[in-house]
Amino acid sequence: MKRIIILLPFLILPLPAAPTNTAASASSSAATAAAKTADNASKAEEALANTKRTFLYGTPAQIRGTLDRIKKTKSDRELDIISEHYKGERKRPVKLAILAFFKEVIDARAKPILLAALADEDDAVSKEAYGMLVYYPEKDLEQFMIKGLTLRDTVSLEGCIKALGEIKSQNAATNLIALYTNEATKESTRSEIIAALGKIGVREAEEHIRNAARDAGESAFVRYQAIVALKAFPTRENWSVLQSILAEDVSELTARVIYVLPAYGAFTDVKRELIDAAKSDSERVRETAVKGLSQYKGEDTKKLLLFRLATEASTDVVLAVLDALAEYDDGDGPASESARTAIRDMYKNARVTKVKNRAKEILDKKGIVIDEKK
């Protein structure tokens, strides 16, 4: 009997593909990135732990060093650590360092610290806290600001006065006027009171402000503040006072009158006054006038500004002119007619870095691209 042998075809199955170089590289990169992220997170946690240890166990000098570092980073988590730590802090140098820190780093987490410091039995700490109020001018701290008007320390006292002005405290007006009229009050403090009363704008203060502004025998700083404060009281009588001050022809006084002119539009042609002032020999007066002219656009104003830009020697005035010209949306043309061209030319040709940078900022905001090669 014959046997029949049937040969079946041999099937060759494909082997799994070896990973390509690209896939292997991507996998390796992802693993490296993940490891690096984890390492960074670990380092960040260790840094936070070290910050906590420094506040718990460090010397005042070490804590000040840590605070100096946090001023630069402004790390939220480290700011939380400072705020939490202050609650149990007993050492005066550390308390003072933390208060000083929150004068530079303005942050809501300073509020509970400030309240605690204001109530501190240590006079050095509470005094520092009162001086800190000017950095946190908030209405719910008004009672402390008013209480601070009795302080002998000039820095803390004047800080409270400034803060009361910032919050426009009607409640403090009587106290401020009483302090102003006290003959023992220092000149610098009287100056700050006048400035605050101008911001508050109470009628009871108007006569004191007007008298200080027109009194040629008054100290310069008090007069400066009084003239600016008259902005809050645009009456014909006060306009007459301002005119008499202009007649004195003292540049620092004139500059401040020019600053408040827009509030007195009912009594004079403000635009004409500003244009005249922009031609003054005084740099300070020209600068103030040019800033004011930014509110009074027109072809005559633009021509004056373009002339000032082309001929002005004072950097501060040039910067003010650039800002005023930025209000004009004209097209290309001669630099004597086009604000756009004049600003572009100033960017290309200015030798003063501040001027060049300001021109570039204005051009960027207007979407004007400069060909640096030309």
Side-chain angles (χ1 to χ4, degrees):
M1 181 179 176
K2 294 181 178 179
R3 287 188 293 180
I4 300 173
I5 299 174
I6 300 174
L7 298 176
L8 297 175
F10 183 69
L11 297 177
I12 300 176
L13 299 175
L15 294 173
T20 64
N21 289 339
T22 301
S25 175
S27 176
S28 175
S29 296
T32 301
K36 188 174 182 179
T37 299
D39 184 52
N40 288 340
S42 176
K43 288 180 179 177
E45 290 302 318
E46 177 55 32
L48 285 173
N50 189 53
T51 298
K52 288 181 180 179
R53 286 192 293 269
T54 300
F55 277 100
L56 284 171
Y57 310 120
T59 65
Q62 288 174 316
I63 291 173
R64 283 193 293 269
T66 298
L67 290 170
D68 286 340
R69 177 181 58 76
I70 299 174
K71 282 178 192 175
K72 299 173 184 176
T73 64
K74 296 180 177 62
S75 161
D76 278 332
R77 294 179 71 183
E78 289 187 306
L79 288 171
D80 287 337
I81 291 172
I82 297 171
S83 180
E84 184 63 28
H85 174 79
Y86 190 91
K87 297 175 184 177
E89 182 55 62
R90 298 174 60 189
K91 296 188 292 292
R92 175 195 287 178
V94 175
K95 289 181 179 181
L96 294 177
I98 291 175
L99 291 174
F101 171 88
F102 279 112
K103 285 181 179 180
E104 296 186 46
V105 180
I106 307 302
D107 189 272
R109 279 161 284 211
K111 190 76 169 289
I113 293 175
L114 179 53
L115 289 170
L118 287 166
D120 202 302
E121 294 180 357
D122 186 331
D123 289 343
V125 174
S126 61
K127 183 180 76 173
E128 185 73 11
Y130 276 105
M132 188 175 166
L133 286 169
V134 69
Y135 300 94
Y136 296 87
E138 298 176 21
K139 192 68 177 175
D140 59 343
L141 294 172
E142 182 181 35
Q143 59 174 316
F144 297 105
M145 298 172 196
I146 294 175
K147 184 179 179 182
L149 297 180
T150 62
L151 295 172
R152 293 183 179 181
D153 178 71
T154 302
V155 174
S156 300
L157 169 61
E158 293 180 1
C160 289
I161 293 169
K162 288 178 184 177
L164 287 165
E166 290 300 318
I167 66 170
K168 296 178 170 56
S169 172
Q170 300 278 330
N171 297 324
T174 301
N175 303 66
L176 288 168
I177 291 171
L179 186 58
Y180 175 77
T181 55
N182 187 329
E183 293 182 359
T185 302
K186 294 180 179 180
E187 177 187 314
S188 63
T189 304
R190 293 175 69 244
S191 176
E192 293 296 347
I193 292 171
I194 287 291
L197 289 171
K199 291 177 181 177
I200 296 169
V202 290
R203 283 294 167 188
E204 305 94 286
E206 182 181 358
E207 184 176 357
H208 296 287
I209 294 170
R210 180 168 55 245
N211 289 339
R214 66 184 169 193
D215 183 0
E218 182 61 88
S219 73
F221 289 113
V222 173
R223 288 194 81 188
Y224 296 162
Q225 296 285 23
I227 293 169
V228 172
L230 283 177
K231 185 178 182 180
F233 308 99
T235 65
R236 186 168 295 281
E237 181 180 2
N238 290 336
W239 171 237
S240 296
V241 171
L242 294 176
Q243 285 180 302
S244 68
I245 294 170
L246 287 173
E248 293 181 44
D249 197 23
V250 178
S251 62
E252 288 297 329
L253 296 175
T254 300
R256 285 163 174 82
V257 173
I258 296 303
Y259 172 76
V260 304
L261 270 180
Y264 286 81
F267 311 106
T268 187
D269 183 340
V270 175
K271 182 178 177 180
R272 186 198 66 197
E273 298 276 6
L274 290 173
I275 287 176
D276 287 346
K279 306 170 191 176
S280 169
D281 279 335
S282 164
E283 291 182 8
R284 180 66 183 275
V285 172
R286 291 200 305 278
E287 179 189 357
T288 307
V290 166
K291 288 179 178 178
L293 282 171
S294 64
Q295 302 176 45
Y296 299 90
K297 290 171 62 177
E299 279 302 308
D300 53 345
T301 302
K302 185 171 79 168
K303 287 178 181 178
L304 169 66
L305 293 172
L306 290 170
F307 178 80
R308 286 260 58 86
L309 191 66
T311 61
E312 183 59 60
S314 165
T315 297
D316 289 335
V317 179
V318 170
L319 293 172
V321 172
L322 285 171
D323 288 340
L325 286 173
E327 301 297 320
Y328 292 84
D329 294 313
D330 54 13
D332 293 324
S336 60
E337 299 176 9
S338 165
R340 175 186 297 200
T341 302
I343 296 170
R344 185 190 294 123
D345 287 353
M346 182 57 66
Y347 168 68
K348 290 181 177 179
N349 302 323
R351 295 182 179 181
V352 179
T353 302
K354 285 198 298 185
V355 171
K356 196 174 189 71
N357 290 344
R358 183 70 60 83
K360 182 68 163 59
E361 288 171 12
I362 293 170
L363 294 170
D364 287 345
K365 286 180 181 178
K366 290 179 173 289
I368 300 172
V369 179
I370 301 297
D371 186 349
E372 302 285 355
K373 297 179 180 178
K374 290 185 178 181

